[in-house]
Amino acid sequence: MFENVPTVSTAERQQVLGALERLQAKLVQREEWSHSETLGTLRETLQSPLFSHILTLQHSIKQLRHQVRSTPSTRQTETH
């Protein structure tokens, strides 16, 4: 389920926020308001502590699955 979810660092999130803010500024200069609400919502989501926790949980689940797959099962070791 989470295998294809990339791990996003805080630095990467800050880069995206910076790019998003530059895009919003350009759109304001052009008086283009059609995407203003959507971009604002995206910015709020990226800045949300809850979103950060979700990304951390996804990363932890991914690591745990990798550990489980790379660790021999106890049933296999008991039968040998």
Side-chain angles (χ1 to χ4, degrees):
M1 182 169 145
F2 296 108
E3 292 86 15
N4 296 327
V5 176
T7 303
V8 180
S9 70
T10 302
E12 289 170 320
R13 221 171 328 133
Q14 291 303 319
Q15 287 177 336
V16 170
L17 281 168
L20 184 60
E21 288 171 6
R22 290 189 299 276
L23 174 60
Q24 283 184 301
K26 284 182 183 181
L27 291 174
V28 167
Q29 285 177 341
R30 295 179 185 174
E31 297 183 7
E32 173 62 55
W33 311 111
S34 61
H35 300 291
S36 180
E37 185 177 341
T38 303
L39 293 174
T41 302
L42 179 57
R43 185 183 71 243
E44 289 173 15
T45 301
L46 289 170
Q47 293 173 327
S48 166
L50 178 60
F51 184 70
S52 293
H53 290 304
I54 290 169
L55 290 177
T56 301
L57 284 171
Q58 286 179 333
H59 180 68
S60 296
I61 289 168
K62 189 175 182 181
Q63 286 182 321
L64 285 170
R65 284 191 174 162
H66 177 72
Q67 287 177 344
V68 167
R69 288 184 181 134
S70 63
T71 305
S73 133
T74 54
R75 273 191 261 149
Q76 287 178 349
T77 56
E78 289 174 1
T79 57
H80 294 312

